[in-house]
Amino acid sequence: MTDLYKRILEKKKEAKMTWDEIAQTAKIRLGTWMTGLPTSKPSEEEIEKLAKLFNTTADYLKNGVEK
């Protein structure tokens, strides 16, 4: 499980949303990265959409740093 995935999972839990709800709301496809496998990660476009959905920055999701 990557740090990126851990931060997304944290935001998912805070939002109390399922992966299906997140995918529909953010307009992204369900992906294998949502299982936490370290060999798979969301695209840059998906990260941007997730950041917007979770009211945070892509930089926070990727690096754990808010600018």
Side-chain angles (χ1 to χ4, degrees):
M1 188 179 308
T2 65
D3 289 338
L4 168 64
Y5 179 78
K6 288 177 186 175
R7 284 187 285 275
I8 292 170
L9 191 58
E10 172 190 323
K11 293 293 186 180
K12 174 188 176 289
K13 288 178 183 178
E14 287 174 11
K16 298 179 181 167
M17 297 177 80
T18 66
W19 286 120
D20 285 332
E21 292 169 332
I22 289 169
Q24 287 179 343
T25 306
K27 294 183 175 44
I28 61 174
R29 295 171 64 181
L30 288 171
T32 56
W33 66 266
M34 293 175 178
T35 65
L37 292 174
T39 57
S40 181
K41 66 180 186 174
S43 68
E44 288 295 319
E45 182 181 349
E46 290 171 325
I47 292 170
E48 291 289 337
K49 289 179 178 183
L50 290 167
K52 185 175 180 180
L53 171 67
F54 295 136
N55 197 29
T56 191
T57 64
D59 197 45
Y60 171 75
L61 293 178
K62 291 188 283 188
N63 305 309
V65 179
E66 294 266 6
K67 286 188 179 180

